[in-house]
Amino acid sequence: MSDGKDMEQPLVFGLDIGTRNVVGTVGYRTEDQFIVTAQYIMQHDTRAMLDGQIHDIGRVSGTIRKVKEQLEKQIGKTLTEVCIAAAGRVLKTVTTSISYDYPEESVVTGEDIHTLDLLGIEKAQKILQEMNDTNYKFYCVGYSVVKYFLNDEPFSNIESHKADRIGEDIIVTFLPEDVVDGLYAAVNQAGLEVANLTLEPIAAINVAIPESYRLLNIALVDIGAGTSDISITKDGSIIAYGMIPLAGDELTELIVQNYLVDFKTAEYIKLQSTTEEEITYKDIMLIEHKIPAKEVWELTAPVVDEMTTAVAAKIKELNGDQTVSAAFIVGGGGKIHGYTKMLAEKLDLPDVRVALRGEEVLQEVVFEQQDIKKDPLLVTPIGICLNYYEQRNGFIMVRFNGERLKLYDNDGLTIVDAALQAGFPNEDLFPKRGPELTFFVNGAKRIIRGEQGESAAVYMNDRPTNLNAALEPNCEIIIEPSTAGKPATCTLDQLEEYTTDSVAFVVNGNIIRCPKFLEVNGKLEFPSYQIQEGDQVETRSFYTVGQLAEFMDVEVNVEHVILVNNRRATLDSLIYENFTIEWTVRSYGKPSFQPVEQEEVQTPTVGEYKEEEIPDIVDTEMSAEADGAEVQNPEVHNAVTAEDTDDAGNAGAKEKDSAVTDDAATVEESKTITDSTAGVNGSVAGENAAGMDETDVTEENADGMAEAVKKVTAEENSSPAAEEDGSMVLVYINGQPVKLTGKPQYIFVDIFDFYEFDLTASNGRAIITNLNGENASYSAVLKTGDTIELRWKEN
């Protein structure tokens, strides 16, 4: 233990839980050194671990506790957190590329690089899920960036540079759930919490091959008792990881069989053969033997040959089917006699290019314990401690809807991550729309979307929260699934074709504009008809004379001649756009059949008055009809009267109610005519049809007036009043004008129906939802002119 200056620094506790040994290291990092304040090595009493996998959690936990207690005595402090590493048994490696585009040129920060790493890890996890052909559930236990890119150009360090786009090639390593769970369980039973988890080859390479060496194509082989972990460097980066399940225990087991000793004695013989010329031991019969070390070398040579052959093959496979420039060996298993020489032969390298790495790579490590000798066995334990400063990560436990989950902690976990890990359906997280309605209008497909449902109810530790809330360790999460909205509905009178499409006729010299009839599946339906799935809706551009009379609320005197385009007609005759109709009206009243319903009422018709309320002008016309005079449509008298006749008996108009003589006059007069409840939406032509020929009506006045009325209608529909009545709201989303239509009122969540925004691309980020500069709730009511900011929060 030091004189106390080390206590000024936060201590890091690293634990190398190997197949044969548990090595505990406590220290801290200065600017250019790592100071080891305490270290303790202890062997397992039994074979509680095989090939890097914990088989007896209780026994391994007991060994860890003893190492922890010895270290606590040395430093005089209680240890609560530990950094650990996993061996590469059933290791999976995914190499992928990831990039991020800034909205505008920006300075790259350390946080940006960290976010890029996390995006790469998440992408690798998705790739592994797709390619996983085993029953194992894999966890990420480490990663290495192969190369960074700045505006698509390779860079060794992109921090503080300006860029429009950053990217990286990354190697992400994964281990099965049972390997990780076993390590966590053993550590927890020893009274410790995991502060950081990495992979043994990652820990070893950070010490054995410094960055200045990584330009070279070098292989690092960490030979433990159960596994031989391999990593490869090239062009300044770590390019691959691998593992073979052959290591020191293969040699020990051979010695057990040949010399009739227990496993512990065999380990002693193996270690002594690397340092001594003769070895003395007792077999299980308690007979003492003395053998030369060369005998052990000759015994183990075939197994060493098998091990080096497998390691060399794996190195070449990871290096693109070619050998490397050099190989470094660390770990206790690599000290067996002849290993480095055999591996050099298999890699086609000179003997001097394959060597043990121990004291050479620990120059910047200072041991305060004088009796510690720097050797390859200590490389990985030191690397585990140093990895704490490079990649602080691990796992956190949560309970999701009653199920216990373990999640890889990337410092940005949210409730959404827990939901996805638990397999909670995405569609139950976000509001669901009711079933949509699909039908056809004039052959064109029309889809009405269902109403939006309610979002999922989210609780963490019994407190209401949202999906983007950060996870707390050991928290209790409850998510109640979102609900579906009501099914889509639509009636005929809600269709744009019903409210905007019309057909104009000239009746007794007056332009009458009528809505087009709507047929559903070949049958005429009322405007209140509820459209059904797959309905075929067609607009009909013609009336019969009888239907026009019903629409105008008049009874036609069939004893008088009915003229259509100056030809005799009947009530069943078809009439089309701009046709002229001449008839004699018998009476006014409520029609027996009303094909359309008008919602907007401006000027009542005669048929709507009670008998005692009928205006005098109607009485005058009824008297005129009784005397044989031609009766005009009563609506005409709202703007123009036709009581006077000239000497020839032809109908005319007084000068003060003069005929329309040009298009401009027609437009102005058309604006003064109001619609009736029965749907009269036209303006009055100044001259009676008897005073003009058919061509005059249909080509000049009728067309001119029709265009004028269309113009007026368009102006009215686009007026501010149309927005204020709730039928349309104009908002600005991220500076872009967006019209909200189809509902009487809109709330904030409705914008997702009109504005493209991918709700699944969170990548651990929160969503920004601002309304007029303030944070908005999803139920906030929208009005015209509102400004909305909608984007993902940058990590």
Side-chain angles (χ1 to χ4, degrees):
M1 186 171 173
S2 69
D3 59 4
K5 65 179 181 297
D6 57 295
M7 298 297 108
E8 300 174 2
Q9 300 288 341
L11 296 176
V12 175
F13 176 22
L15 202 60
D16 182 7
I17 308 172
T19 303
R20 288 301 308 139
N21 300 300
V22 176
V23 182
T25 305
V26 178
Y28 62 92
R29 188 170 71 174
T30 64
E31 186 174 344
D32 55 1
Q33 289 182 324
F34 183 77
I35 311 299
V36 178
T37 59
Q39 190 170 70
Y40 189 78
I41 302 175
M42 186 173 185
Q43 284 191 357
H44 296 290
D45 292 332
T46 62
R47 300 195 68 185
M49 292 185 65
L50 293 174
D51 296 339
Q53 168 68 52
I54 296 177
H55 283 243
D56 191 329
I57 293 176
R59 290 185 180 275
V60 173
S61 176
T63 305
I64 293 173
R65 183 181 290 107
K66 292 176 183 178
V67 171
K68 168 180 172 289
E69 291 170 354
Q70 288 296 325
L71 292 172
E72 287 174 339
K73 288 180 182 179
Q74 294 182 39
I75 65 174
K77 278 190 171 187
T78 300
L79 298 171
T80 59
E81 291 187 336
V82 65
C83 303
I84 59 176
R89 193 179 76 89
V90 199
L91 174 72
K92 293 286 185 181
T93 302
V94 177
T95 302
T96 187
S97 299
I98 193 72
S99 62
Y100 173 77
D101 292 308
Y102 291 100
E104 58 184 20
E105 188 179 57
S106 304
V107 176
V108 182
T109 66
E111 185 64 24
D112 293 337
I113 298 173
H114 180 61
T115 300
L116 191 66
D117 293 344
L118 297 183
L119 291 175
I121 292 171
E122 291 178 4
K123 183 178 178 181
Q125 286 175 322
K126 292 178 181 177
I127 294 172
L128 180 63
Q129 288 173 1
E130 294 174 358
M131 59 184 281
N132 184 13
D133 56 355
T134 70
N135 294 324
Y136 290 119
K137 184 176 182 180
F138 285 88
Y139 284 114
C140 171
V141 291
Y143 67 92
S144 296
V145 176
V146 177
K147 192 173 296 182
Y148 287 108
F149 295 91
L150 188 79
N151 295 332
D152 297 325
E153 294 292 331
F155 267 69
S156 59
N157 188 350
I158 59 177
E159 188 172 1
S160 300
H161 288 280
K162 285 187 176 181
D164 295 310
R165 177 188 179 102
I166 59 175
E168 69 180 20
D169 292 340
I170 185 172
I171 299 175
V172 187
T173 53
F174 301 87
L175 280 180
E177 180 181 24
D178 57 348
V179 173
V180 177
D181 284 349
L183 286 170
Y184 267 74
V187 168
N188 292 338
Q189 287 187 21
L192 293 166
E193 293 293 330
V194 176
N196 183 58
L197 172 68
T198 188
L199 199 65
E200 286 185 1
I202 293 178
I205 203 168
N206 286 336
V207 176
I209 305 181
E211 289 190 10
S212 58
Y213 285 11
R214 294 180 191 176
L215 287 171
L216 302 173
N217 191 195
I218 301 175
L220 175 68
V221 184
D222 181 3
I223 307 168
T227 61
S228 295
D229 297 308
I230 302 165
S231 48
I232 309 291
T233 66
K234 187 178 181 181
D235 297 332
S237 305
I238 303 170
I239 63 168
Y241 294 105
M243 181 277 302
I244 62 167
L246 294 174
D249 277 358
E250 305 295 323
L251 304 171
T252 307
E253 290 172 0
L254 179 63
I255 294 173
V256 167
Q257 299 296 328
N258 191 75
Y259 293 116
L260 200 62
V261 294
D262 59 22
F263 196 86
K264 189 174 182 179
T265 304
E267 274 288 301
Y268 167 78
I269 295 173
K270 181 179 71 174
L271 294 176
Q272 289 293 102
S273 71
T274 63
T275 58
E276 306 294 333
E277 292 185 0
E278 285 190 343
I279 307 159
T280 302
Y281 69 93
K282 288 184 179 181
D283 61 21
I284 60 173
M285 307 303 295
L286 300 180
I287 301 173
E288 186 174 294
H289 300 272
K290 183 179 289 186
I291 59 173
K294 289 183 179 180
E295 183 178 316
V296 178
W297 300 348
E298 293 172 356
L299 173 68
T300 58
V303 177
V304 173
D305 183 72
E306 180 185 356
M307 291 169 56
T308 53
T309 299
V311 169
K314 192 67 174 179
I315 288 174
K316 291 179 180 180
E317 175 190 333
L318 296 174
N319 198 47
D321 294 325
Q322 59 184 7
T323 191
V324 291
S325 300
F328 293 159
I329 313 299
V330 298
K335 294 192 291 183
I336 192 68
H337 181 269
Y339 188 95
T340 57
K341 183 176 181 180
M342 288 188 184
L343 183 60
E345 292 175 359
K346 304 300 189 329
L347 290 174
D348 301 320
L349 295 175
D351 292 350
V352 293
R353 290 199 176 182
V354 178
L356 286 168
R357 300 287 283 180
E359 185 174 358
E360 303 86 354
V361 297
L362 297 175
Q363 296 298 319
E364 296 179 356
V365 179
V366 176
F367 291 89
E368 294 189 348
Q369 293 170 292
Q370 300 300 321
D371 57 338
I372 292 181
K373 180 183 177 182
K374 297 179 180 180
D375 79 357
L377 184 64
L378 302 180
V379 171
T380 299
I382 298 298
I384 292 172
C385 291
L386 292 176
N387 187 263
Y388 172 82
Y389 298 99
E390 304 301 328
Q391 297 179 24
R392 291 196 59 181
N393 52 57
F395 294 86
I396 64 173
M397 304 296 180
V398 300
R399 189 168 293 277
F400 181 89
N401 285 356
E403 178 187 355
R404 182 176 176 271
L405 293 180
K406 181 194 300 180
L407 293 94
Y408 175 72
D409 185 10
N410 58 15
D411 294 331
L413 286 177
T414 64
I415 289 179
V416 170
D417 296 307
L420 297 178
Q421 180 77 23
F424 194 81
N426 287 343
E427 58 269 20
D428 288 343
L429 289 175
F430 303 99
K432 298 186 284 286
R433 289 192 170 276
E436 61 186 21
L437 176 64
T438 304
F439 55 97
F440 299 85
V441 179
N442 295 330
K445 189 175 182 179
R446 187 76 52 88
I447 298 177
I448 305 295
R449 302 184 70 182
E451 294 185 13
Q452 190 83 301
E454 297 293 330
S455 299
V458 184
Y459 302 90
M460 183 162 63
N461 295 331
D462 296 327
R463 301 189 308 270
T465 184
N466 59 71
L467 292 171
N468 293 317
L471 283 180
E472 300 173 5
N474 301 311
C475 63
E476 181 83 22
I477 301 167
I478 300 293
I479 295 186
E480 297 175 0
S482 59
T483 60
K486 295 179 180 179
T489 59
C490 184
T491 56
L492 291 179
D493 56 5
Q494 291 177 311
L495 296 179
E496 182 181 5
E497 287 75 10
Y498 177 84
T499 57
T500 61
D501 285 6
S502 61
V503 57
F505 309 109
V506 181
V507 181
N508 291 343
N510 305 314
I511 292 182
I512 305 300
R513 189 168 296 279
C514 310
K516 291 183 178 181
F517 284 153
L518 295 178
E519 290 182 348
V520 181
N521 302 326
K523 180 183 176 182
L524 197 65
E525 295 288 356
F526 284 96
S528 58
Y529 171 81
Q530 193 84 25
I531 299 175
Q532 303 300 312
E533 181 72 17
D535 274 353
Q536 297 282 345
V537 180
E538 298 287 341
T539 56
R540 201 170 77 177
S541 58
F542 62 87
Y543 276 58
T544 66
V545 174
Q547 288 170 341
L548 177 60
E550 290 173 354
F551 175 77
M552 294 178 62
D553 248 355
V554 300
E555 181 184 1
V556 176
N557 189 343
V558 294
E559 296 177 359
H560 288 230
V561 175
I562 300 174
L563 296 178
V564 175
N565 290 345
N566 293 327
R567 295 182 180 181
R568 282 182 175 273
T570 67
L571 292 177
D572 294 326
S573 297
L574 299 180
I575 52 177
Y576 293 87
E577 182 81 19
N578 292 332
F579 273 30
T580 62
I581 300 95
E582 301 290 338
W583 60 28
T584 302
V585 177
R586 179 188 297 276
S587 64
Y588 305 91
K590 196 73 175 176
S592 59
F593 169 74
Q594 187 173 351
V596 294
E597 298 173 357
Q598 293 290 92
E599 294 180 0
E600 188 175 354
V601 178
Q602 296 186 9
T603 304
T605 65
V606 174
E608 291 179 298
Y609 288 102
K610 296 180 181 178
E611 184 176 352
E612 62 272 14
E613 296 174 340
I614 297 178
D616 293 339
I617 189 168
V618 176
D619 294 335
T620 303
E621 298 219 5
M622 295 300 288
S623 299
E625 183 181 10
D627 293 337
E630 182 175 351
V631 180
Q632 299 291 327
N633 190 331
E635 285 91 314
V636 173
H637 294 280
N638 291 328
V640 180
T641 61
E643 297 175 352
D644 299 332
T645 58
D646 56 20
D647 295 338
N650 294 327
K654 293 184 179 180
E655 183 175 353
K656 63 182 179 181
D657 300 316
S658 63
V660 178
T661 57
D662 54 37
D663 288 346
T666 302
V667 172
E668 290 300 315
E669 198 161 20
S670 296
K671 290 181 180 179
T672 65
I673 305 303
T674 58
D675 297 336
S676 70
T677 309
V680 178
N681 192 25
S683 62
V684 180
E687 294 192 55
N688 191 286
M692 61 178 69
D693 59 25
E694 181 183 351
T695 304
D696 291 334
V697 174
T698 61
E699 294 185 2
E700 296 181 10
N701 293 314
D703 287 346
M705 290 183 182
E707 290 302 316
V709 173
K710 288 180 181 177
K711 179 178 180 182
V712 172
T713 302
E715 290 175 351
E716 290 176 351
N717 289 340
S718 63
S719 67
E723 297 180 11
E724 295 174 359
D725 69 4
S727 60
M728 188 276 285
V729 169
L730 178 65
V731 298
Y732 296 86
I733 304 177
N734 296 336
Q736 177 182 348
V738 177
K739 287 185 179 181
L740 312 181
T741 59
K743 293 176 64 175
Q745 189 182 50
Y746 307 90
I747 60 176
F748 191 92
V749 76
D750 289 331
I751 65 176
F752 296 104
D753 297 339
F754 302 90
Y755 186 80
E756 290 292 334
F757 190 82
D758 188 0
L759 288 170
T760 67
S762 67
N763 291 324
R765 300 173 293 178
I767 189 172
I768 301 298
T769 53
N770 289 336
L771 177 62
N772 297 326
E774 297 182 357
N775 189 31
S777 68
Y778 284 116
S779 60
V781 177
L782 300 181
K783 60 183 182 299
T784 294
D786 282 345
T787 60
I788 296 169
E789 181 184 6
L790 185 66
R791 61 182 175 83
W792 292 110
K793 182 178 180 181
E794 298 300 330
N795 289 327

